[in-house]
Amino acid sequence: MKSYSTVEVRFEDGIAWVAMNRPQKRNAISVEMAREMVEVFDALETDARCQVVVLTGTGDSFSAGMDLKDYFRATDGKSPVERARVYRLNAAWQWRGLLHYPNPTIAMVNGWCFGGAFTPLVACDLAVAADEATFGLSEINWGIIPAGVVCKAISTVMSQRDALYYIMTGETFDGKRAAELRLVNESVPRARLEARTRELAKTLMQKNPTVLRQAKTALRYSARMSWDEAADYLSAKSDQSTFMDPERGREEGMRQFLDEKSYKPGLGSYKRKR
């Protein structure tokens, strides 16, 4: 993979560590970063070295959110079409891409996380934060609302009361509070953050990748359906998964459980043939 100016990528035992890399700007998301992220995620989708993607930031920040100069002042004088192109580019990786990315994704919040950074954080499948990380929806403090799709993003993981509190007060909170709010799955001391994220990634890598992909897609779509619609969709999705799976995981898992009695589904995965 080629080098990028605002994104850092490294591979480690099936994990692609993708870092927003503008430490001098607290990894604020620029138009250039958006372009590079689109390219990076497109390349990783078919890269055999990547089984799980971890999204993080270099230095002591996850991301300070959108680069105000790039996304506001620099576009104020542009035509509606030009502005729409810039915002569409950002959406292409931050939520349209991440929400339905084929590989499992984990957000590792290592520090400062503000405003627009909440969107890719929420769009990742799972999230782990450092206890010491600082989160904030500070837009109210400088006269705008949390725009883009930040309000939508946080509404899918936080209660309305909690979301409104932080949107309306602009107060900051730490990783432990982020876990209580369900913005992240868990929070650990900064010294353990990378090790815990790696452990979680390796757990995901042990699962059947086809079924893992189908399972997360099923949840994303069925959450927006009625019960009747979901019942029909999930039945079809289950059949599709069985048809698509080159490992024949359903058959192998049932054979090992029912015939060999060699594992218990509630306590671990079936033994995969690699």
Side-chain angles (χ1 to χ4, degrees):
M1 181 172 285
K2 74 177 190 181
S3 296
Y4 297 91
S5 62
T6 65
V7 181
E8 182 180 271
V9 183
R10 64 183 175 91
F11 297 93
E12 177 199 346
D13 300 328
I15 305 171
W17 300 83
V18 178
M20 293 172 276
N21 187 29
R22 298 180 74 210
Q24 74 283 5
K25 297 288 187 180
R26 292 189 182 271
N27 301 324
I29 301 165
S30 63
V31 174
E32 183 180 16
M33 183 187 289
R35 289 195 184 98
E36 293 188 342
M37 279 292 188
V38 169
E39 187 173 331
V40 165
F41 278 102
D42 183 63
L44 288 177
E45 187 173 339
T46 56
D47 195 314
R49 296 171 293 177
C50 173
Q51 297 177 52
V52 175
V53 175
V54 174
L55 177 66
T56 189
T58 57
D60 61 359
S61 298
F62 180 71
S63 172
M66 308 309 294
D67 186 300
L68 302 187
K69 184 178 180 181
D70 253 21
Y71 277 94
F72 294 91
R73 182 159 290 173
T75 61
D76 283 349
K78 301 293 185 181
S79 70
V81 172
E82 290 174 300
R83 293 184 68 193
R85 283 171 60 85
V86 169
Y87 286 102
R88 188 166 64 244
L89 178 68
N90 196 58
W93 79 273
Q94 275 201 11
W95 56 277
R96 286 197 179 100
L98 278 175
L99 279 174
H100 303 292
Y101 198 67
N103 299 71
T105 56
I106 304 172
M108 186 178 80
V109 186
N110 51 311
W112 202 259
C113 179
F114 273 69
F118 278 60
T119 300
L121 164 61
V122 172
C124 284
D125 301 322
L126 304 174
V128 184
D131 293 342
E132 302 89 338
T134 301
F135 295 80
L137 294 163
S138 59
E139 287 86 345
I140 194 72
N141 295 332
W142 43 282
I144 69 166
I145 67 169
V149 291
V150 172
C151 286
K152 173 60 179 177
I154 61 175
S155 75
T156 66
V157 291
M158 293 169 62
S159 76
Q160 183 170 299
R161 287 289 190 203
D162 290 328
L164 284 171
Y165 181 87
Y166 289 104
I167 286 173
M168 295 173 73
T169 65
E171 291 181 10
T172 61
F173 52 97
D174 62 14
K176 292 181 179 179
R177 181 59 176 154
E180 292 173 356
L181 295 168
R182 307 313 298 150
L183 182 62
V184 300
N185 293 97
E186 59 184 289
S187 175
V188 299
R190 173 65 189 269
R192 289 194 54 239
L193 180 62
E194 187 168 320
R196 175 56 187 142
T197 305
R198 184 181 293 108
E199 179 183 280
L200 182 56
K202 288 188 177 296
T203 296
L204 297 177
M205 288 162 57
Q206 294 171 5
K207 311 302 180 185
N208 181 315
T210 302
V211 179
L212 192 63
R213 185 181 307 121
Q214 293 285 91
K216 73 173 196 173
T217 300
L219 186 283
R220 297 279 194 197
Y221 280 104
S222 63
R224 303 194 294 266
M225 298 176 181
S226 70
W227 283 75
D228 286 322
E229 290 168 336
D232 186 64
Y233 166 75
L234 292 171
S235 177
K237 196 69 175 175
S238 179
D239 290 343
Q240 182 193 52
S241 298
T242 300
F243 176 77
M244 292 176 59
D245 182 17
E247 291 188 17
R248 315 310 296 172
R250 182 179 184 276
E251 297 171 17
E252 188 62 23
M254 292 226 273
R255 184 184 68 78
Q256 290 180 25
F257 175 54
L258 297 174
D259 302 331
E260 292 184 356
K261 303 190 186 308
S262 57
Y263 89 111
K264 296 179 180 179
L267 302 178
S269 299
Y270 71 90
K271 186 176 180 180
R272 295 174 57 208
K273 297 176 181 178
R274 313 244 183 159

